[in-house]
Amino acid sequence: MKTIDTRGQTQYSPLIPAIKALCEAKEGEKLEIIMNNADAFNELKSYLAEQKIGFREIYDGEQMSVQFTVGK
C-alpha cells in the first residue's frame, strides 16, 4: 500500500498531492491518504464518491485517512 501523508501541508492544498497520487497510481494499486485538514478530507471523500471509488475512512484524533484501491 502506498501512503501519501499530507499532514502539516502549508504551501498548498493537501488535495494536490492526494489527487496527484491517484492520477499516477496503476490499476489495482492500494493507496492510503493521511490528512489533518477536515475540509480537504471531506472534498477528497466527495471526489472519490463522484468517481465511484469505494474507500475506507479512518479517524485517529485529528488525523484522518482514506484507504482505497485504484480501479479502471
Side-chain angles (χ1 to χ4, degrees):
M1 180 178 297
K2 182 176 181 179
T3 300
I4 297 83
D5 188 347
T6 69
R7 292 175 292 179
Q9 183 63 265
T10 58
Q11 293 181 327
Y12 46 81
S13 171
L15 287 173
I16 293 172
I19 298 300
K20 181 178 183 253
L22 177 61
C23 292
E24 293 175 347
K26 295 179 173 71
E27 184 177 338
E29 187 172 1
K30 294 180 181 186
L31 297 178
E32 175 181 36
I33 301 175
I34 303 170
M35 298 183 156
N36 62 351
N37 179 315
D39 291 334
F41 185 70
N42 288 328
E43 288 180 35
L44 177 61
K45 291 190 311 179
S46 293
Y47 176 78
L48 293 172
E50 287 172 7
Q51 300 301 313
K52 297 184 178 19
I53 299 172
F55 56 91
R56 176 180 174 209
E57 301 174 51
I58 302 167
Y59 296 89
D60 183 12
E62 293 186 25
Q63 173 181 306
M64 302 149 284
S65 302
V66 290
Q67 296 176 344
F68 57 94
T69 302
V70 177
K72 294 181 182 179

Short mmCIF file of all heavy atoms in Angstrom, two decimals:
data_model
loop_
_atom_site.label_atom_id
_atom_site.label_comp_id
_atom_site.label_asym_id
_atom_site.label_seq_id
_atom_site.Cartn_x
_atom_site.Cartn_y
_atom_site.Cartn_z
N MET A 1 0.85 -1.17 0.00
CA MET A 1 0.00 0.00 0.00
C MET A 1 0.90 1.24 0.00
O MET A 1 1.81 1.35 0.80
CB MET A 1 -0.91 0.01 1.23
CG MET A 1 -1.81 1.23 1.26
SD MET A 1 -2.96 1.30 2.65
CE MET A 1 -3.95 -0.13 2.35
N LYS A 2 0.62 2.15 -0.90
CA LYS A 2 1.36 3.40 -0.97
C LYS A 2 0.68 4.42 -0.06
O LYS A 2 -0.54 4.59 -0.12
CB LYS A 2 1.38 3.90 -2.42
CG LYS A 2 2.17 5.16 -2.61
CD LYS A 2 2.23 5.53 -4.08
CE LYS A 2 3.04 6.78 -4.30
NZ LYS A 2 3.12 7.12 -5.72
N THR A 3 1.45 5.09 0.79
CA THR A 3 0.91 6.06 1.72
C THR A 3 1.32 7.47 1.32
O THR A 3 2.51 7.72 1.06
CB THR A 3 1.40 5.78 3.16
OG1 THR A 3 0.97 4.46 3.53
CG2 THR A 3 0.84 6.78 4.14
N ILE A 4 0.34 8.37 1.27
CA ILE A 4 0.58 9.77 0.98
C ILE A 4 0.18 10.54 2.23
O ILE A 4 -0.99 10.55 2.61
CB ILE A 4 -0.24 10.27 -0.25
CG1 ILE A 4 0.18 9.52 -1.51
CG2 ILE A 4 -0.04 11.76 -0.45
CD1 ILE A 4 -0.46 8.21 -1.71
N ASP A 5 1.15 11.16 2.88
CA ASP A 5 0.92 11.87 4.14
C ASP A 5 0.93 13.37 3.87
O ASP A 5 1.96 13.94 3.53
CB ASP A 5 2.01 11.50 5.14
CG ASP A 5 1.74 12.05 6.53
OD1 ASP A 5 0.85 12.91 6.69
OD2 ASP A 5 2.43 11.61 7.46
N THR A 6 -0.24 14.01 3.98
CA THR A 6 -0.34 15.45 3.70
C THR A 6 -0.47 16.27 4.98
O THR A 6 -0.73 17.47 4.90
CB THR A 6 -1.55 15.74 2.79
OG1 THR A 6 -2.75 15.50 3.52
CG2 THR A 6 -1.51 14.91 1.52
N ARG A 7 -0.27 15.66 6.13
CA ARG A 7 -0.38 16.40 7.39
C ARG A 7 0.66 17.51 7.42
O ARG A 7 1.80 17.33 7.04
CB ARG A 7 -0.16 15.48 8.59
CG ARG A 7 -1.28 14.47 8.77
CD ARG A 7 -0.96 13.52 9.87
NE ARG A 7 0.19 12.69 9.43
CZ ARG A 7 0.73 11.75 10.15
NH1 ARG A 7 0.32 11.52 11.37
NH2 ARG A 7 1.74 11.03 9.68
N GLY A 8 0.21 18.66 7.89
CA GLY A 8 1.12 19.79 8.03
C GLY A 8 1.40 20.53 6.73
O GLY A 8 2.24 21.42 6.69
N GLN A 9 0.73 20.17 5.66
CA GLN A 9 0.93 20.82 4.37
C GLN A 9 0.50 22.28 4.49
O GLN A 9 -0.65 22.55 4.81
CB GLN A 9 0.11 20.11 3.30
CG GLN A 9 0.28 20.64 1.92
CD GLN A 9 1.68 20.50 1.42
OE1 GLN A 9 2.46 21.43 1.52
NE2 GLN A 9 2.02 19.35 0.90
N THR A 10 1.41 23.21 4.25
CA THR A 10 1.07 24.63 4.39
C THR A 10 1.28 25.42 3.11
O THR A 10 0.71 26.49 2.96
CB THR A 10 1.90 25.28 5.52
OG1 THR A 10 3.29 25.12 5.22
CG2 THR A 10 1.59 24.66 6.86
N GLN A 11 2.09 24.92 2.18
CA GLN A 11 2.38 25.68 0.97
C GLN A 11 1.23 25.66 -0.04
O GLN A 11 1.05 26.59 -0.79
CB GLN A 11 3.64 25.16 0.30
CG GLN A 11 4.88 25.43 1.13
CD GLN A 11 6.12 24.94 0.44
OE1 GLN A 11 6.09 23.94 -0.28
NE2 GLN A 11 7.22 25.64 0.64
N TYR A 12 0.47 24.59 -0.05
CA TYR A 12 -0.66 24.46 -0.97
C TYR A 12 -1.64 23.48 -0.39
O TYR A 12 -1.40 22.85 0.64
CB TYR A 12 -0.20 24.05 -2.37
CG TYR A 12 0.78 22.91 -2.39
CD1 TYR A 12 0.36 21.59 -2.28
CD2 TYR A 12 2.15 23.15 -2.49
CE1 TYR A 12 1.25 20.55 -2.28
CE2 TYR A 12 3.06 22.10 -2.50
CZ TYR A 12 2.61 20.81 -2.39
OH TYR A 12 3.49 19.78 -2.39
N SER A 13 -2.75 23.30 -1.06
CA SER A 13 -3.82 22.42 -0.58
C SER A 13 -3.34 20.98 -0.47
O SER A 13 -2.64 20.48 -1.36
CB SER A 13 -5.01 22.47 -1.53
OG SER A 13 -5.95 21.47 -1.18
N PRO A 14 -3.71 20.28 0.61
CA PRO A 14 -3.35 18.87 0.72
C PRO A 14 -4.02 18.00 -0.33
O PRO A 14 -3.65 16.85 -0.53
CB PRO A 14 -3.82 18.48 2.13
CG PRO A 14 -4.70 19.56 2.59
CD PRO A 14 -4.41 20.78 1.78
N LEU A 15 -4.99 18.56 -1.05
CA LEU A 15 -5.63 17.80 -2.12
C LEU A 15 -4.69 17.58 -3.31
O LEU A 15 -4.81 16.59 -4.03
CB LEU A 15 -6.89 18.51 -2.61
CG LEU A 15 -8.07 18.45 -1.67
CD1 LEU A 15 -9.20 19.32 -2.18
CD2 LEU A 15 -8.55 17.03 -1.49
N ILE A 16 -3.74 18.48 -3.50
CA ILE A 16 -2.85 18.38 -4.67
C ILE A 16 -2.03 17.09 -4.64
O ILE A 16 -2.08 16.32 -5.60
CB ILE A 16 -1.97 19.64 -4.81
CG1 ILE A 16 -2.88 20.83 -5.16
CG2 ILE A 16 -0.89 19.44 -5.87
CD1 ILE A 16 -2.20 22.17 -5.15
N PRO A 17 -1.29 16.79 -3.57
CA PRO A 17 -0.55 15.51 -3.59
C PRO A 17 -1.48 14.30 -3.57
O PRO A 17 -1.13 13.24 -4.11
CB PRO A 17 0.33 15.57 -2.34
CG PRO A 17 -0.25 16.63 -1.48
CD PRO A 17 -0.97 17.58 -2.38
N ALA A 18 -2.66 14.43 -2.98
CA ALA A 18 -3.61 13.32 -2.94
C ALA A 18 -4.11 12.98 -4.34
O ALA A 18 -4.09 11.81 -4.76
CB ALA A 18 -4.78 13.66 -2.01
N ILE A 19 -4.54 13.98 -5.08
CA ILE A 19 -5.05 13.75 -6.44
C ILE A 19 -3.91 13.35 -7.37
O ILE A 19 -4.09 12.48 -8.24
CB ILE A 19 -5.79 15.01 -6.96
CG1 ILE A 19 -7.00 15.32 -6.08
CG2 ILE A 19 -6.21 14.83 -8.41
CD1 ILE A 19 -8.04 14.22 -6.00
N LYS A 20 -2.72 13.92 -7.17
CA LYS A 20 -1.56 13.54 -8.00
C LYS A 20 -1.27 12.04 -7.82
O LYS A 20 -1.06 11.33 -8.80
CB LYS A 20 -0.35 14.37 -7.59
CG LYS A 20 0.89 14.05 -8.40
CD LYS A 20 2.05 14.94 -7.98
CE LYS A 20 3.25 14.67 -8.85
NZ LYS A 20 4.30 13.95 -8.18
N ALA A 21 -1.28 11.57 -6.58
CA ALA A 21 -1.03 10.15 -6.33
C ALA A 21 -2.10 9.28 -6.97
O ALA A 21 -1.80 8.22 -7.53
CB ALA A 21 -0.97 9.90 -4.82
N LEU A 22 -3.34 9.72 -6.91
CA LEU A 22 -4.44 8.97 -7.52
C LEU A 22 -4.25 8.89 -9.04
O LEU A 22 -4.42 7.82 -9.63
CB LEU A 22 -5.78 9.63 -7.18
CG LEU A 22 -7.03 9.03 -7.79
CD1 LEU A 22 -7.20 7.58 -7.34
CD2 LEU A 22 -8.25 9.84 -7.40
N CYS A 23 -3.87 9.99 -9.65
CA CYS A 23 -3.68 10.01 -11.11
C CYS A 23 -2.49 9.17 -11.55
O CYS A 23 -2.50 8.60 -12.64
CB CYS A 23 -3.51 11.45 -11.59
SG CYS A 23 -5.00 12.44 -11.45
N GLU A 24 -1.46 9.09 -10.72
CA GLU A 24 -0.26 8.34 -11.08
C GLU A 24 -0.33 6.85 -10.73
O GLU A 24 0.50 6.07 -11.17
CB GLU A 24 0.96 8.96 -10.39
CG GLU A 24 1.30 10.35 -10.90
CD GLU A 24 2.43 11.01 -10.14
OE1 GLU A 24 2.81 10.52 -9.06
OE2 GLU A 24 2.92 12.04 -10.62
N ALA A 25 -1.33 6.48 -9.94
CA ALA A 25 -1.43 5.09 -9.48
C ALA A 25 -1.83 4.16 -10.62
O ALA A 25 -2.57 4.54 -11.53
CB ALA A 25 -2.45 4.99 -8.35
N LYS A 26 -1.32 2.96 -10.53
CA LYS A 26 -1.68 1.93 -11.51
C LYS A 26 -2.96 1.23 -11.06
O LYS A 26 -3.28 1.20 -9.87
CB LYS A 26 -0.55 0.91 -11.61
CG LYS A 26 0.73 1.48 -12.16
CD LYS A 26 1.80 0.42 -12.19
CE LYS A 26 3.04 0.87 -12.89
NZ LYS A 26 3.82 1.85 -12.18
N GLU A 27 -3.66 0.65 -12.00
CA GLU A 27 -4.88 -0.09 -11.69
C GLU A 27 -4.56 -1.20 -10.69
O GLU A 27 -3.57 -1.92 -10.82
CB GLU A 27 -5.47 -0.70 -12.96
CG GLU A 27 -6.77 -1.40 -12.73
CD GLU A 27 -7.39 -1.94 -14.00
OE1 GLU A 27 -7.05 -1.44 -15.09
OE2 GLU A 27 -8.20 -2.86 -13.89
N GLY A 28 -5.36 -1.31 -9.66
CA GLY A 28 -5.19 -2.31 -8.63
C GLY A 28 -4.28 -1.87 -7.48
O GLY A 28 -4.16 -2.57 -6.48
N GLU A 29 -3.63 -0.73 -7.63
CA GLU A 29 -2.74 -0.24 -6.57
C GLU A 29 -3.57 0.27 -5.38
O GLU A 29 -4.60 0.91 -5.56
CB GLU A 29 -1.86 0.89 -7.10
CG GLU A 29 -0.80 1.34 -6.14
CD GLU A 29 0.20 2.31 -6.75
OE1 GLU A 29 0.06 2.67 -7.94
OE2 GLU A 29 1.11 2.71 -6.03
N LYS A 30 -3.10 -0.02 -4.18
CA LYS A 30 -3.78 0.42 -2.97
C LYS A 30 -3.12 1.69 -2.46
O LYS A 30 -1.89 1.76 -2.38
CB LYS A 30 -3.73 -0.67 -1.89
CG LYS A 30 -4.50 -1.90 -2.29
CD LYS A 30 -4.44 -2.96 -1.24
CE LYS A 30 -5.22 -4.19 -1.72
NZ LYS A 30 -5.33 -5.19 -0.69
N LEU A 31 -3.95 2.68 -2.12
CA LEU A 31 -3.46 3.95 -1.61
C LEU A 31 -4.05 4.24 -0.25
O LEU A 31 -5.20 3.89 0.03
CB LEU A 31 -3.84 5.10 -2.55
CG LEU A 31 -3.27 5.09 -3.96
CD1 LEU A 31 -3.80 6.29 -4.74
CD2 LEU A 31 -1.76 5.11 -3.94
N GLU A 32 -3.26 4.91 0.57
CA GLU A 32 -3.74 5.46 1.83
C GLU A 32 -3.33 6.92 1.84
O GLU A 32 -2.16 7.25 1.63
CB GLU A 32 -3.12 4.76 3.04
CG GLU A 32 -3.53 5.41 4.35
CD GLU A 32 -2.92 4.74 5.56
OE1 GLU A 32 -1.75 4.30 5.49
OE2 GLU A 32 -3.61 4.67 6.58
N ILE A 33 -4.29 7.80 2.06
CA ILE A 33 -4.01 9.23 2.11
C ILE A 33 -4.34 9.71 3.51
O ILE A 33 -5.47 9.53 3.99
CB ILE A 33 -4.82 9.99 1.04
CG1 ILE A 33 -4.45 9.44 -0.34
CG2 ILE A 33 -4.56 11.48 1.15
CD1 ILE A 33 -5.23 9.98 -1.49
N ILE A 34 -3.33 10.31 4.16
CA ILE A 34 -3.48 10.78 5.53
C ILE A 34 -3.56 12.30 5.51
O ILE A 34 -2.75 12.97 4.87
CB ILE A 34 -2.28 10.34 6.39
CG1 ILE A 34 -2.12 8.82 6.35
CG2 ILE A 34 -2.45 10.83 7.83
CD1 ILE A 34 -0.84 8.32 6.96
N MET A 35 -4.54 12.84 6.23
CA MET A 35 -4.74 14.29 6.29
C MET A 35 -5.05 14.73 7.71
O MET A 35 -5.49 13.93 8.53
CB MET A 35 -5.91 14.72 5.39
CG MET A 35 -5.73 14.44 3.94
SD MET A 35 -7.14 15.06 3.00
CE MET A 35 -6.37 15.24 1.41
N ASN A 36 -4.84 16.01 7.96
CA ASN A 36 -5.31 16.60 9.21
C ASN A 36 -6.10 17.87 8.93
O ASN A 36 -6.35 18.67 9.81
CB ASN A 36 -4.16 16.86 10.19
CG ASN A 36 -3.13 17.84 9.67
OD1 ASN A 36 -3.16 18.23 8.52
ND2 ASN A 36 -2.21 18.23 10.53
N ASN A 37 -6.50 18.06 7.68
CA ASN A 37 -7.32 19.18 7.25
C ASN A 37 -8.71 18.63 6.93
O ASN A 37 -8.90 17.96 5.91
CB ASN A 37 -6.68 19.83 6.02
CG ASN A 37 -7.47 21.00 5.49
OD1 ASN A 37 -8.69 20.94 5.36
ND2 ASN A 37 -6.77 22.08 5.16
N ALA A 38 -9.68 18.92 7.81
CA ALA A 38 -11.02 18.33 7.67
C ALA A 38 -11.72 18.76 6.38
O ALA A 38 -12.39 17.94 5.75
CB ALA A 38 -11.88 18.70 8.88
N ASP A 39 -11.55 20.01 5.98
CA ASP A 39 -12.20 20.47 4.75
C ASP A 39 -11.67 19.73 3.53
O ASP A 39 -12.43 19.26 2.68
CB ASP A 39 -12.01 21.98 4.56
CG ASP A 39 -12.77 22.80 5.60
OD1 ASP A 39 -13.80 22.31 6.12
OD2 ASP A 39 -12.33 23.93 5.89
N ALA A 40 -10.35 19.60 3.43
CA ALA A 40 -9.74 18.88 2.30
C ALA A 40 -10.13 17.41 2.34
O ALA A 40 -10.38 16.80 1.30
CB ALA A 40 -8.22 19.04 2.33
N PHE A 41 -10.20 16.84 3.53
CA PHE A 41 -10.59 15.44 3.69
C PHE A 41 -12.00 15.20 3.15
O PHE A 41 -12.24 14.26 2.40
CB PHE A 41 -10.49 15.04 5.16
CG PHE A 41 -10.75 13.59 5.43
CD1 PHE A 41 -9.85 12.62 5.02
CD2 PHE A 41 -11.89 13.18 6.10
CE1 PHE A 41 -10.07 11.27 5.29
CE2 PHE A 41 -12.13 11.84 6.37
CZ PHE A 41 -11.21 10.89 5.96
N ASN A 42 -12.91 16.09 3.49
CA ASN A 42 -14.29 15.97 3.00
C ASN A 42 -14.36 16.15 1.50
O ASN A 42 -15.13 15.46 0.82
CB ASN A 42 -15.20 16.96 3.73
CG ASN A 42 -15.45 16.55 5.16
OD1 ASN A 42 -15.48 15.36 5.48
ND2 ASN A 42 -15.61 17.52 6.04
N GLU A 43 -13.56 17.06 0.95
CA GLU A 43 -13.54 17.26 -0.50
C GLU A 43 -12.99 16.01 -1.20
O GLU A 43 -13.48 15.61 -2.25
CB GLU A 43 -12.69 18.48 -0.86
CG GLU A 43 -13.37 19.78 -0.49
CD GLU A 43 -12.51 20.99 -0.85
OE1 GLU A 43 -11.80 20.94 -1.87
OE2 GLU A 43 -12.57 21.97 -0.10
N LEU A 44 -11.96 15.40 -0.61
CA LEU A 44 -11.39 14.17 -1.19
C LEU A 44 -12.42 13.05 -1.18
O LEU A 44 -12.58 12.34 -2.18
CB LEU A 44 -10.13 13.76 -0.45
CG LEU A 44 -9.48 12.46 -0.92
CD1 LEU A 44 -9.06 12.55 -2.39
CD2 LEU A 44 -8.29 12.10 -0.04
N LYS A 45 -13.14 12.89 -0.08
CA LYS A 45 -14.18 11.86 0.00
C LYS A 45 -15.26 12.10 -1.04
O LYS A 45 -15.71 11.16 -1.70
CB LYS A 45 -14.79 11.81 1.40
CG LYS A 45 -13.85 11.30 2.46
CD LYS A 45 -14.53 11.04 3.78
CE LYS A 45 -15.40 12.18 4.24
NZ LYS A 45 -16.08 11.94 5.50
N SER A 46 -15.65 13.35 -1.23
CA SER A 46 -16.66 13.68 -2.25
C SER A 46 -16.16 13.33 -3.65
O SER A 46 -16.89 12.77 -4.46
CB SER A 46 -17.03 15.16 -2.19
OG SER A 46 -17.69 15.46 -1.00
N TYR A 47 -14.90 13.65 -3.92
CA TYR A 47 -14.31 13.35 -5.22
C TYR A 47 -14.28 11.83 -5.46
O TYR A 47 -14.68 11.37 -6.54
CB TYR A 47 -12.90 13.93 -5.32
CG TYR A 47 -12.21 13.55 -6.60
CD1 TYR A 47 -12.51 14.21 -7.78
CD2 TYR A 47 -11.28 12.51 -6.65
CE1 TYR A 47 -11.91 13.86 -8.98
CE2 TYR A 47 -10.66 12.15 -7.83
CZ TYR A 47 -10.98 12.83 -9.00
OH TYR A 47 -10.39 12.47 -10.17
N LEU A 48 -13.83 11.08 -4.47
CA LEU A 48 -13.79 9.63 -4.63
C LEU A 48 -15.19 9.06 -4.86
O LEU A 48 -15.38 8.17 -5.70
CB LEU A 48 -13.15 8.98 -3.39
CG LEU A 48 -11.66 9.27 -3.18
CD1 LEU A 48 -11.20 8.73 -1.83
CD2 LEU A 48 -10.82 8.72 -4.31
N ALA A 49 -16.18 9.57 -4.13
CA ALA A 49 -17.55 9.10 -4.31
C ALA A 49 -18.07 9.43 -5.71
O ALA A 49 -18.72 8.60 -6.36
CB ALA A 49 -18.47 9.71 -3.25
N GLU A 50 -17.76 10.63 -6.21
CA GLU A 50 -18.18 11.03 -7.57
C GLU A 50 -17.55 10.11 -8.62
O GLU A 50 -18.16 9.83 -9.65
CB GLU A 50 -17.77 12.47 -7.86
CG GLU A 50 -18.60 13.50 -7.12
CD GLU A 50 -18.04 14.90 -7.28
OE1 GLU A 50 -17.08 15.12 -8.07
OE2 GLU A 50 -18.55 15.80 -6.60
N GLN A 51 -16.32 9.67 -8.36
CA GLN A 51 -15.62 8.79 -9.29
C GLN A 51 -15.99 7.33 -9.10
O GLN A 51 -15.42 6.45 -9.76
CB GLN A 51 -14.09 8.97 -9.13
CG GLN A 51 -13.60 10.37 -9.39
CD GLN A 51 -13.94 10.85 -10.78
OE1 GLN A 51 -13.72 10.14 -11.77
NE2 GLN A 51 -14.49 12.04 -10.88
N LYS A 52 -16.91 7.09 -8.17
CA LYS A 52 -17.37 5.73 -7.84
C LYS A 52 -16.22 4.84 -7.36
O LYS A 52 -16.13 3.66 -7.72
CB LYS A 52 -18.11 5.12 -9.02
CG LYS A 52 -19.39 5.87 -9.38
CD LYS A 52 -20.13 5.17 -10.48
CE LYS A 52 -21.42 5.77 -10.90
NZ LYS A 52 -21.80 7.08 -10.66
N ILE A 53 -15.34 5.44 -6.55
CA ILE A 53 -14.23 4.72 -5.95
C ILE A 53 -14.61 4.47 -4.49
O ILE A 53 -14.78 5.41 -3.72
CB ILE A 53 -12.92 5.51 -6.03
CG1 ILE A 53 -12.54 5.76 -7.49
CG2 ILE A 53 -11.80 4.79 -5.27
CD1 ILE A 53 -11.36 6.69 -7.68
N GLY A 54 -14.76 3.21 -4.13
CA GLY A 54 -15.08 2.87 -2.75
C GLY A 54 -13.86 3.12 -1.86
O GLY A 54 -12.73 2.93 -2.30
N PHE A 55 -14.10 3.56 -0.65
CA PHE A 55 -12.98 3.85 0.25
C PHE A 55 -13.36 3.54 1.69
O PHE A 55 -14.52 3.41 2.03
CB PHE A 55 -12.55 5.32 0.13
CG PHE A 55 -13.66 6.31 0.37
CD1 PHE A 55 -13.90 6.80 1.66
CD2 PHE A 55 -14.46 6.75 -0.67
CE1 PHE A 55 -14.92 7.71 1.89
CE2 PHE A 55 -15.48 7.67 -0.45
CZ PHE A 55 -15.70 8.15 0.83
N ARG A 56 -12.33 3.44 2.50
CA ARG A 56 -12.48 3.20 3.93
C ARG A 56 -11.97 4.45 4.65
O ARG A 56 -10.88 4.93 4.36
CB ARG A 56 -11.64 1.99 4.32
CG ARG A 56 -11.64 1.69 5.77
CD ARG A 56 -10.78 0.46 6.05
NE ARG A 56 -10.68 0.28 7.49
CZ ARG A 56 -9.68 -0.27 8.10
NH1 ARG A 56 -8.65 -0.71 7.41
NH2 ARG A 56 -9.66 -0.38 9.39
N GLU A 57 -12.78 4.98 5.59
CA GLU A 57 -12.39 6.15 6.37
C GLU A 57 -11.84 5.69 7.71
O GLU A 57 -12.40 4.81 8.34
CB GLU A 57 -13.59 7.04 6.66
CG GLU A 57 -14.30 7.55 5.45
CD GLU A 57 -15.57 8.30 5.83
OE1 GLU A 57 -15.51 9.20 6.68
OE2 GLU A 57 -16.62 7.97 5.26
N ILE A 58 -10.77 6.33 8.15
CA ILE A 58 -10.18 6.03 9.45
C ILE A 58 -9.94 7.35 10.17
O ILE A 58 -9.34 8.27 9.61
CB ILE A 58 -8.85 5.27 9.29
CG1 ILE A 58 -9.07 3.98 8.51
CG2 ILE A 58 -8.24 4.98 10.67
CD1 ILE A 58 -7.81 3.33 8.03
N TYR A 59 -10.43 7.43 11.40
CA TYR A 59 -10.26 8.63 12.21
C TYR A 59 -9.41 8.29 13.42
O TYR A 59 -9.68 7.33 14.12
CB TYR A 59 -11.62 9.18 12.67
CG TYR A 59 -12.48 9.63 11.51
CD1 TYR A 59 -13.35 8.74 10.87
CD2 TYR A 59 -12.41 10.93 11.04
CE1 TYR A 59 -14.14 9.15 9.80
CE2 TYR A 59 -13.18 11.35 9.98
CZ TYR A 59 -14.04 10.46 9.36
OH TYR A 59 -14.80 10.86 8.31
N ASP A 60 -8.38 9.09 13.67
CA ASP A 60 -7.50 8.89 14.81
C ASP A 60 -7.16 10.27 15.38
O ASP A 60 -6.21 10.91 14.94
CB ASP A 60 -6.23 8.16 14.37
CG ASP A 60 -5.30 7.85 15.53
OD1 ASP A 60 -5.72 7.98 16.69
OD2 ASP A 60 -4.14 7.48 15.26
N GLY A 61 -8.00 10.72 16.31
CA GLY A 61 -7.82 12.06 16.84
C GLY A 61 -8.06 13.08 15.75
O GLY A 61 -9.08 13.05 15.08
N GLU A 62 -7.09 13.96 15.53
CA GLU A 62 -7.22 14.97 14.48
C GLU A 62 -6.72 14.48 13.13
O GLU A 62 -6.79 15.19 12.14
CB GLU A 62 -6.48 16.24 14.89
CG GLU A 62 -7.13 16.92 16.09
CD GLU A 62 -6.48 18.24 16.42
OE1 GLU A 62 -5.89 18.86 15.52
OE2 GLU A 62 -6.59 18.66 17.57
N GLN A 63 -6.21 13.27 13.09
CA GLN A 63 -5.72 12.68 11.85
C GLN A 63 -6.82 11.85 11.20
O GLN A 63 -7.53 11.11 11.87
CB GLN A 63 -4.53 11.80 12.16
CG GLN A 63 -4.03 10.99 11.00
CD GLN A 63 -2.87 10.12 11.39
OE1 GLN A 63 -1.88 10.61 11.92
NE2 GLN A 63 -2.98 8.83 11.13
N MET A 64 -6.97 12.00 9.88
CA MET A 64 -7.97 11.26 9.12
C MET A 64 -7.29 10.59 7.94
O MET A 64 -6.37 11.15 7.37
CB MET A 64 -9.05 12.21 8.60
CG MET A 64 -9.75 13.00 9.70
SD MET A 64 -10.30 14.63 9.15
CE MET A 64 -8.78 15.54 9.12
N SER A 65 -7.75 9.39 7.61
CA SER A 65 -7.17 8.67 6.47
C SER A 65 -8.28 8.07 5.62
O SER A 65 -9.35 7.74 6.13
CB SER A 65 -6.28 7.51 6.96
OG SER A 65 -5.27 7.97 7.78
N VAL A 66 -7.99 7.94 4.34
CA VAL A 66 -8.84 7.15 3.46
C VAL A 66 -7.94 6.10 2.82
O VAL A 66 -6.79 6.36 2.49
CB VAL A 66 -9.56 7.97 2.35
CG1 VAL A 66 -10.62 8.84 2.92
CG2 VAL A 66 -8.60 8.77 1.52
N GLN A 67 -8.48 4.90 2.70
CA GLN A 67 -7.78 3.80 2.03
C GLN A 67 -8.67 3.32 0.90
O GLN A 67 -9.88 3.17 1.10
CB GLN A 67 -7.49 2.67 2.99
CG GLN A 67 -6.56 3.04 4.11
CD GLN A 67 -6.37 1.90 5.09
OE1 GLN A 67 -7.12 0.94 5.14
NE2 GLN A 67 -5.33 2.02 5.91
N PHE A 68 -8.07 3.07 -0.25
CA PHE A 68 -8.84 2.60 -1.39
C PHE A 68 -7.92 1.94 -2.40
O PHE A 68 -6.71 2.08 -2.34
CB PHE A 68 -9.63 3.74 -2.04
CG PHE A 68 -8.76 4.90 -2.51
CD1 PHE A 68 -8.30 4.95 -3.80
CD2 PHE A 68 -8.42 5.92 -1.63
CE1 PHE A 68 -7.50 6.00 -4.24
CE2 PHE A 68 -7.64 6.97 -2.06
CZ PHE A 68 -7.17 7.02 -3.36
N THR A 69 -8.55 1.20 -3.30
CA THR A 69 -7.83 0.56 -4.40
C THR A 69 -8.23 1.24 -5.68
O THR A 69 -9.41 1.46 -5.94
CB THR A 69 -8.20 -0.94 -4.46
OG1 THR A 69 -7.86 -1.54 -3.20
CG2 THR A 69 -7.44 -1.64 -5.58
N VAL A 70 -7.24 1.57 -6.47
CA VAL A 70 -7.49 2.26 -7.74
C VAL A 70 -8.04 1.26 -8.74
O VAL A 70 -7.48 0.18 -8.94
CB VAL A 70 -6.18 2.90 -8.27
CG1 VAL A 70 -6.43 3.55 -9.63
CG2 VAL A 70 -5.66 3.91 -7.27
N GLY A 71 -9.17 1.62 -9.35
CA GLY A 71 -9.80 0.76 -10.34
C GLY A 71 -9.49 1.20 -11.75
O GLY A 71 -8.59 1.98 -11.99
N LYS A 72 -10.29 0.72 -12.66
CA LYS A 72 -10.12 1.06 -14.08
C LYS A 72 -10.36 2.51 -14.32
O LYS A 72 -11.18 3.13 -13.79
CB LYS A 72 -11.07 0.23 -14.94
CG LYS A 72 -10.75 -1.22 -14.91
CD LYS A 72 -11.71 -1.97 -15.79
CE LYS A 72 -11.42 -3.45 -15.71
NZ LYS A 72 -12.31 -4.25 -16.51
#
